[in-house]
DNA sequence: GCGACGGTAGAGCGATCATTCTACCTTCCT
DNA sequence: AGGAAGGTAGAATGATCGCTCTACCGTCGC
């Protein structure tokens, strides 16, 4: 079931991703979501709430999108990085939506919180997957490395292109796994 | 010799780094640089020019700052990553100034250009250093990987802390070098 | 039929922004 | 001394912003 709020949040997310945060006023967001200003403010009572709503929407859909793929082995661990490559192909390549939001609203505690939550969830995803292939090892350092590669890939894709960034991230990830004696 | 314009550019850079781009109006920039509005506009005739001026200033100083350190071996190659750790300690930890500028002004061709130039120069720095330790190898893939780690480290430092991000980047860089049979 | 309800359109408000302009001051060359 | 050059302070301007408000409309149940 898609609620009306969910539909609007999806439109907001798409607009922020395509056009950035700074250059997108509330009136433009309203037009893009095809609702009246009053209705928009009913569900998101301030511009900041619209940004938070869009980020929360993307947080939800991103982890759904991550599901599937190989369910064991090294490929299972590397799947979020491969999948990020697909994501970067589908959406406009303007870097990480969460970090862009942070850059545009450095003083908003609510936005900072949702960004940190999303990134923490992503780091946990890597830990969870690593434990499936190395249950008796300390995988914390590897999890940090994979997270770093994931972040770097998003930013690098803007400058070096998606394919080269993905390949570099995967190469480095495999080397890091090998260096720790995994796979 | 420090020109007046250079001094103002340095003040702009500091202010953008500490407080971000979005929340810093021209009047605040003027106060921070301790000049009159007219003088500020004389050297930087628009707000966009102020952003470009600050980025160009940082581009210049960053490569000066990078000089020094070990002048051969793997440590020479990894020096930009180590040095980035120092940089992240000195300045406010708000991510990469260049990518933040891009996030805040997605439609400005001038800003996009200076960002891309800076990042290309950084990638070249890694290529140059790699050639000193592996003159007869194809180091392009390694250069891409080191660049990716550098970018990822900046972003990860905001969330995982500077030390852990630096350590993860260095570990992954050494593993990548080893995987390619270097060092 | 009709009133309540939940929606729309869009004008209006106050604040803030980038930019320009006026008026004055200091410094230094001749 | 005098005047040009180049600085200052800060008010004025016009545009834009986030947000609120008024007025109106279609669709229900009864």
């Amino acid at each position: 079931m898609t609620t009306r709020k969910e539909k609007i949040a999806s439109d907001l997310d798409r607009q922020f991703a395509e056009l950035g945060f700074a250059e997108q006023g509330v009136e433009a967001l309203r037009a893009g979501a095809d609702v009246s200003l009053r209705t928009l403010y009913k569900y998101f009572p301030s511009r900041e709430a619209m940004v938070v709503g869009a980020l929360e929407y993307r947080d939800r859909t991103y982890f759904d999108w991550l599901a599937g793929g190989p369910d064991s082995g090294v490929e299972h661990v590397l799947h979020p990085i491969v999948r990020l490559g697909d994501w970067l192909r589908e959406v406009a390549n303007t870097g990480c939506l969460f970090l862009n939001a942070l850059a545009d609203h450095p003083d908003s505690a609510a936005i900072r919180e949702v960004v940190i939550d999303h990134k923490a969830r992503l780091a946990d995803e890597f830990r969870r997957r690593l434990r499936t292939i190395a249950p008796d090892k300390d995988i914390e350092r590897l999890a940090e490395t994979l997270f770093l590669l994931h972040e770097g890939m998003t930013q690098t894709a803007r400058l070096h292109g998606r394919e080269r960034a993905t390949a570099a991230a995967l190469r480095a990830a495999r080397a890091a796994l090998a260096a720790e004696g995994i796979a």
Side-chain angles (χ1 to χ4, degrees), chain A:
Chain A
M1 176 198 88
T2 333
T3 65
R4 183 135 195 214
K5 180 172 180 177
E6 190 80 353
K7 156 75 168 62
I8 297 176
S10 150
D11 289 333
L12 294 175
D13 170 71
R14 177 179 40 78
Q15 289 186 86
F16 283 134
E18 285 175 5
L19 301 163
F21 290 91
E23 325 236 338
Q24 200 70 343
V26 172
E27 168 54 27
L29 293 171
R30 180 211 63 77
D34 197 31
V35 290
S36 75
L37 211 46
R38 192 184 180 91
T39 305
L40 180 57
Y41 270 95
K42 177 185 165 190
Y43 291 110
F44 303 97
S46 70
R47 186 175 196 280
E48 183 186 29
M50 297 172 203
V51 173
V52 170
L55 293 180
E56 286 174 343
Y57 174 83
R58 170 151 298 204
D59 179 60
R60 284 194 298 277
T61 56
Y62 192 72
F63 287 100
D64 288 349
W65 167 271
L66 220 52
D71 58 357
S72 68
V74 172
E75 297 311 312
H76 178 63
V77 172
L78 298 181
H79 184 246
I81 291 177
V82 174
R83 207 77 174 111
L84 175 60
D86 299 339
W87 183 276
L88 290 174
R89 186 179 334 176
E90 286 199 6
V91 301
N93 194 354
T94 51
C96 175
L97 192 74
F98 295 89
L99 296 180
N100 285 351
L102 213 48
D104 261 289
H105 303 273
D107 292 345
S108 163
I111 290 173
R112 170 162 293 270
E113 186 189 339
V114 66
V115 170
I116 288 177
D117 280 357
H118 174 78
K119 294 299 184 186
R121 209 170 349 258
L122 182 63
D124 280 341
E125 182 75 19
F126 281 119
R127 286 193 201 92
R128 201 173 56 74
R129 287 168 184 258
L130 276 167
R131 272 198 293 270
T132 65
I133 63 166
D136 45 0
K137 289 211 179 195
D138 178 12
I139 42 77
E140 190 51 35
R141 302 201 315 173
L142 268 177
E144 280 174 16
T145 299
L146 293 179
F147 178 82
L148 178 143
L149 291 171
H150 183 279
E151 295 302 293
M153 178 176 155
T154 312
Q155 301 298 338
T156 304
R158 304 162 79 171
L159 305 153
H160 278 176
R162 186 187 58 80
E163 288 80 8
R164 286 164 67 189
T166 307
L170 283 176
R171 256 185 282 119
R174 288 183 206 280
L177 286 169
E180 299 272 343
I182 293 177

